[in-house]
Amino acid sequence: MVLEGVELDLGKIAESGQCFRWQRLGEAYYRIPHGGDCLYIRREGPGRFDLDCDEAAFEALWRPYFDLDTDYAAINGAISPRDDPFLCAAMEDQRGVRVLRQDLWEMLVTSIITQNRNIPAIRRSVELLSQLGGSPMTDRAGREYHAFPTPGQLLDMGGALGACKLGYREAYVRRAAEAVCEGALDLEGLRRMPDEACRRALVGLYGVGDKVAACVMLFGMHRLNAFPRDVWMNRVLAERYPTGYPFERYAPNNGVYQQYLFAYYRSLDGVGKT
DNA sequence: GCCCAGGAATGTA
DNA sequence: TACATTCATGGG
């Protein structure tokens, strides 16, 4: 099917550090496993995309995944070049980036894996985890891919988990899977909690601190005010906002602006341009 | 070889 | 509370 009139920059989202399983097949052409499906999507022109799914799958799965019902024009319109020229420059540079609605369990594990690793290494581990532990599937082109492993599948991996290059994070991932399987962690229940209660519950998990909890809330629960602070964001805040960052003024969209700043600052620093 | 990576746990004062 | 150290592994 063809999708028209949407502001969506596939290349920028793929490099935005929120998703690690997008496979680049060509210019503005990606293969995306998600929710028991696998989408081929290609940009055909301004705001125009070709997707290999039917309307029913698009409405049920991919429209929400790409967050097409959130009004990014309104979010972007809430900041002004006069108040914050750097953020506005970041927003312009990152136009077409959206906060994907990804699977919550997958984002918990993925966010744990991200700690103290660079993005290419994260991609490798997440893909290994899927290939070695996830269910084999066939996409609409007849090619095989692997779903992300469920908590039970992850625990059943045994020694294969050690082949995923997780390092010291392996124990964190294993304990998160155990918590879900034993019923100590109710991920869907977390969704209904207020932000602070949700954050506290996540931080209670072994290997989850404030930064990972914020990633889970932003990318896994679409709580757009969650603000992950990694080494890059600390640099942005120190260099560009030495007198303080206006979190209150930017609520409830702090997480969206954070994505803009993260990617824009890294692009200025030349990351990924080798 | 060297330094760094979308950090967090642990130990110490 | 506030730092310092340690952790496993890959990318550049």
Side-chain angles (χ1 to χ4, degrees):
Chain A
M1 63 163 285
V2 172
L3 179 60
E4 292 183 280
V6 295
E7 193 159 72
L8 182 67
D9 190 322
L10 297 175
K12 283 195 161 60
I13 292 175
E15 300 304 315
S16 69
Q18 58 174 312
C19 51
F20 300 96
R21 293 199 69 197
W22 284 33
Q23 185 183 356
R24 187 178 186 275
L25 302 176
E27 177 65 28
Y29 184 30
Y30 290 86
R31 182 175 186 245
I32 305 169
H34 166 67
D37 195 9
C38 184
L39 180 74
Y40 287 77
I41 180 169
R42 185 201 299 269
R43 179 181 186 272
E44 292 197 322
R48 182 182 169 91
F49 299 85
D50 182 66
L51 289 66
D52 79 325
C53 65
D54 59 26
E55 299 273 355
F58 173 72
E59 294 300 331
L61 199 59
W62 298 105
R63 174 190 289 282
Y65 177 77
F66 289 110
D67 197 26
L68 296 180
D69 291 325
T70 291
D71 186 356
Y72 282 82
I75 293 174
N76 296 344
I79 59 178
S80 86
R82 190 170 52 77
D83 293 336
D84 197 335
F86 188 73
L87 176 57
C88 285
M91 179 268 286
E92 293 294 347
D93 179 69
Q94 294 294 306
R95 202 174 277 282
V97 168
R98 316 178 79 92
V99 176
L100 303 175
R101 294 179 186 263
Q102 303 185 76
D103 177 76
L104 178 51
W105 162 246
E106 179 174 342
M107 291 320 296
L108 172 60
V109 174
T110 301
S111 300
I112 287 172
I113 291 174
T114 63
Q115 64 180 265
N116 202 31
R117 311 205 67 184
N118 56 32
I119 289 177
I122 296 163
R123 284 204 180 95
R124 203 149 289 120
S125 281
V126 173
E127 201 51 41
L128 273 171
L129 195 55
S130 302
Q131 287 178 7
L132 298 181
S135 300
M137 313 281 280
T138 304
D139 66 25
R140 282 176 287 274
R143 295 193 175 85
E144 183 176 283
Y145 71 99
H146 288 264
F148 190 80
T150 64
Q153 287 178 322
L154 199 150
L155 291 180
D156 286 339
M157 288 176 68
L161 191 56
C164 298
K165 314 292 185 187
L166 302 181
Y168 63 86
R169 306 158 196 82
E170 184 177 329
Y172 301 163
V173 169
R174 191 188 305 272
R175 296 225 346 216
E178 287 169 353
V180 172
C181 287
E182 292 165 359
L185 174 60
D186 173 15
L187 286 175
E188 291 310 312
L190 287 187
R191 289 188 195 274
R192 296 188 292 273
M193 296 182 180
D195 284 350
E196 178 53 22
C198 180
R199 186 198 68 81
R200 276 201 308 271
L202 286 169
V203 168
L205 298 171
Y206 183 55
V208 176
D210 274 325
K211 188 269 173 183
V212 168
C215 283
V216 174
M217 292 170 69
L218 180 58
F219 304 138
M221 304 182 188
H222 207 256
R223 298 192 189 221
L224 296 185
N225 206 44
F227 190 93
R229 281 182 79 147
D230 71 328
V231 294
W232 292 98
M233 287 310 301
N234 282 332
R235 288 172 194 160
V236 174
L237 296 185
E239 289 185 19
R240 298 289 178 164
Y241 300 89
T243 61
Y245 185 82
F247 292 102
E248 293 77 13
R249 193 200 319 162
Y250 293 154
N253 302 318
N254 275 294
V256 179
Y257 303 143
Q258 175 275 154
Q259 276 306 102
Y260 296 159
L261 290 171
F262 171 79
Y264 181 57
Y265 184 84
R266 280 164 55 91
S267 74
L268 294 181
D269 202 60
V271 177
K273 279 195 287 188
T274 57

